[in-house]
Amino acid sequence: MSHPPSVLIVGAGALGLVAAYTLQEYGGCDVTLIVKIGFEKACQNGYSFNSVQFGKFSGWKPRYLRESVHDTFHEYDYVIVSVKNLPDGPEPVEDIIRPVIERSPHSAVILFQNGLDIEKPLIEQFPGHVILSGVSLINCTNIDFVVNQMNEDSIQLGLFENPTIKDLAAAREQLGQFVRLYSIEGKNTVSLDDNVRLSRWKKLVYNASINTTTALVQMDVTRATIAGFKESLCRPIIEEIYAIAKADGYTIPPEMEDQMLNLSNGLYYKPSMCVDVDLGRMIEVETIVGNPLKLAKKYGVDAPRLDTIYHLLKMVQLRTMEKEGLIVLDQKNGVAKKNFAA
Amino acid sequence: MSHPPSVLIVGAGALGLVAAYTLQEYGGCDVTLIVKIGFEKACQNGYSFNSVQFGKFSGWKPRYLRESVHDTFHEYDYVIVSVKNLPDGPEPVEDIIRPVIERSPHSAVILFQNGLDIEKPLIEQFPGHVILSGVSLINCTNIDFVVNQMNEDSIQLGLFENPTIKDLAAAREQLGQFVRLYSIEGKNTVSLDDNVRLSRWKKLVYNASINTTTALVQMDVTRATIAGFKESLCRPIIEEIYAIAKADGYTIPPEMEDQMLNLSNGLYYKPSMCVDVDLGRMIEVETIVGNPLKLAKKYGVDAPRLDTIYHLLKMVQLRTMEKEGLIVLDQKNGVAKKNFAA
């Protein structure tokens, strides 16, 4: 590519904004950011950063701001997806990015999202399209246009296993170029992930246990730890995750358990799913719990605790969707009717 | 007894008030009611009833109102306990009734409470004392001094298994007398329960599944049913309850499962534990879930779902107790310190 690489970033959460800043200011990319909520305000005032990596400043904007993917008309080299992954909601990822993917057949999609098997709907809908995995370990929030970044960006990038890709060498080259664009020497850590699925299983150790249980009882990690949840809830759930991963052909290193359990030690910190429940937002229950459970069923692995957690969280999801008007309860027939087309 | 039987009722919830009215107005008893919250108001205005059984009226009072068991000085023939059973709280039942039990060695205690093994601490603390079980199927609320009774009172009364009782015939006679006092021909249904423990296992089919799961997600039964919780959560939990009961020597009739699952059909109704969570009150997690789980452990029965539910509810309990000032979190040492003596 001789022109500056063009990047569309879908989702103006903390992750999307750190990516936007990194790629525009260091990677020399032409960045377009989709801002669904607060678009006008973002256009007027931009974003403030309070970042261990980039410093403290305000009024920063990516080159282009758009309210929706439907407001973009160019071809992009990279499409970063940093919105929540909600296949049970009105806007599954494949629907959100379809317009831009159809227009950008040579782009690579990068999923900056948690969970397992999130590439599957995209491979099905966009066969042959390069899809990259981004597993981030950043500790960052974006509240009211202020990005607070507590530690350095650390991200693993790799290719999802994708049988529809014909030219694997070209796909690897696209991945390599993105890694170069994203890397800032001495400022962040970008590593090539040659086992994307294992990385995702590893991250599930945290997300399927600590994230889910604190979300159900709306409690920060320190309080939950005092309540004994690491031993009574997390370890037994993690045991199930290890067993499902093993049946799936992936051995999560044993030390990952304690590493993940101690990640938030001493912090009165609410994990993302817990914050989502507090704020009445939809949660990523399908990609974090539902998809691993489907595999458990497929492989005949017993996972009663994860199953219990899943169905409780699906009740929470129904509660949220009703409040948001996304579903209407039909009492007479005892069903929930979707208020959206998907 | 030649004097009118004297009854102390500890707990002015719906159950306690229906018992008070029944025993005073029909049973000819001398009733003293302990009203912990709203004592002054109860003394001034009494209670309103809106009852399918007794009609609609206001200003009713039991003969004596007291704010605490410590304000009573007489010997009683019967001590009805209709407060919540919270062994993990500041006032376990044995502590609440100790003053009156020590003063009334010949009284019978009647536990109008849910859960399993609730008699155990009382047998230990008051050996030889007659303890009766009351399992109620009444659908009734007491909100702001208004008793709403939606169906007729139906209660099973029986003797807890109690190896410390020496004169079983006399205990049976006390039970029989209480059944006669409580029975109102054509108005309520009082039956002799000759298998108290089985009755309690049966009621746990409802309480350990529907009560607990709706409490965790704070959702009424109709919404929860639409979310599919009967099949996804309740039946698997009930299966565990059946298995533990069986190991304990009790066969819950198979039809009980559907009977309990369909008990609240079509009602936008929140079970008691769910209401308690909504109102930030402590929940009966130990007697309804904790005690069956102890038996599961004792008998080596696998109960992973009930165990998961238990530990989630214990986190909810910690949250409530912290809010109520009953515990203080010691962040430095990672422990919860009780703010009460028990």
Side-chain angles (χ1 to χ4, degrees), chain B residues 286-303:
Chain B
E286 288 300 342
T287 56
I288 287 174
V289 195
N291 287 347
L293 267 178
K294 277 184 200 158
L295 293 171
K297 205 172 170 187
K298 176 178 163 188
Y299 298 124
V301 176
D302 210 26

Side-chain angles (χ1 to χ4, degrees), chain A residues 76-340:
Chain A
Y76 293 92
D77 298 314
Y78 295 98
V79 177
I80 295 177
V81 183
S82 47
V83 287
K84 261 191 292 182
N85 199 314
L86 302 170
D88 49 347
E91 292 190 292
V93 170
E94 58 273 26
D95 290 349
I96 297 176
I97 63 171
R98 191 184 317 277
V100 65
I101 297 304
E102 287 175 350
R103 192 197 312 139
S104 315
H106 305 296
S107 68
V109 173
I110 306 119
L111 300 180
F112 274 33
Q113 296 176 311
N114 285 313
L116 205 72
D117 285 331
I118 57 174
E119 74 282 16
K120 294 284 160 72
L122 301 183
I123 292 174
E124 206 189 296
Q125 301 273 321
F126 314 118
H129 208 100
V130 173
I131 303 160
L132 308 180
S133 162
V135 173
S136 170
L137 287 174
I138 202 169
N139 196 347
C140 194
T141 58
N142 173 15
I143 298 167
D144 214 16
F145 308 93
V146 180
V147 178
N148 256 298
Q149 188 188 343
M150 274 78 83
N151 62 357
E152 267 187 15
D153 195 4
S154 169
I155 192 159
Q156 293 170 281
L157 293 162
L159 284 163
F160 280 110
E161 207 187 290
N162 185 347
T164 69
I165 295 291
K166 276 165 203 138
D167 189 347
L168 199 60
R172 286 220 177 90
E173 176 45 38
Q174 253 178 312
L175 165 64
Q177 201 217 6
F178 187 76
V179 168
R180 284 189 298 277
L181 290 171
Y182 206 94
S183 301
I184 318 171
E185 218 192 300
K187 284 222 180 250
N188 66 8
T189 310
V190 185
S191 46
L192 264 178
D193 187 349
D194 53 12
N195 198 340
V196 161
R197 198 167 175 83
L198 180 61
S199 304
R200 292 188 165 271
W201 272 117
K202 283 180 187 171
K203 206 164 173 203
L204 272 184
V205 171
Y206 185 92
N207 280 332
S209 63
I210 291 184
N211 223 345
T212 54
T213 51
T214 53
L216 272 171
V217 299
Q218 290 171 262
M219 191 182 271
D220 62 73
V221 174
T222 296
R223 282 189 168 75
T225 301
I226 289 175
F229 92 133
K230 285 186 185 175
E231 301 304 322
S232 66
L233 288 162
C234 296
R235 278 197 204 278
I237 291 169
I238 290 172
E239 207 173 290
E240 295 180 358
I241 289 288
Y242 271 74
I244 307 168
K246 200 175 172 190
D248 192 41
Y250 294 84
T251 303
I252 307 172
E255 66 272 18
M256 197 54 56
E257 179 167 353
D258 280 307
Q259 205 173 309
M260 289 298 183
L261 281 177
N262 296 325
L263 204 62
S264 314
N265 268 3
L267 298 174
Y268 280 88
Y269 161 79
K270 286 188 170 183
S272 59
M273 193 182 276
C274 182
V275 172
D276 286 335
V277 174
D278 278 358
L279 298 176
R281 292 180 190 152
M282 285 186 73
I283 50 176
E284 294 184 300
V285 56
E286 288 300 343
T287 57
I288 287 174
V289 194
N291 287 347
L293 268 178
K294 278 184 198 158
L295 293 171
K297 205 172 171 185
K298 177 179 163 187
Y299 298 124
V301 177
D302 209 29
R305 292 167 198 271
L306 208 56
D307 189 67
T308 303
I309 295 288
Y310 173 71
H311 290 292
L312 288 169
L313 286 172
K314 285 298 277 184
M315 290 172 81
V316 172
Q317 191 85 310
L318 184 100
R319 198 180 69 192
T320 303
M321 291 177 80
E322 192 192 7
K323 249 181 221 158
E324 292 293 305
L326 293 171
I327 54 164
V328 175
L329 295 190
D330 175 354
Q331 189 191 351
K332 204 178 129 202
N333 299 302
V335 292
K337 285 183 177 166
K338 281 179 183 169
N339 231 347
F340 52 87

Side-chain angles (χ1 to χ4, degrees), chain B residues 26 75 136 217 254 336:
Chain B
Y26 291 87
E75 202 172 321
S136 170
V217 299

Side-chain angles (χ1 to χ4, degrees), chain B residues 15 114 134-140 149-156 189 191 199 202-203 206-207 256 259-260 263 269:
Chain B
L15 228 58
N114 284 313
V135 172
S136 170
L137 288 174
I138 202 169
N139 196 348
C140 195
Q149 190 187 344
M150 275 79 84
N151 62 357
E152 267 187 15
D153 195 3
S154 169
I155 193 160
Q156 293 170 281
T189 309
S191 47
S199 304
K202 284 180 186 172
K203 205 164 175 205
Y206 185 92
N207 280 333
M256 197 52 58
Q259 205 173 307
M260 288 298 184
L263 204 63
Y269 161 80

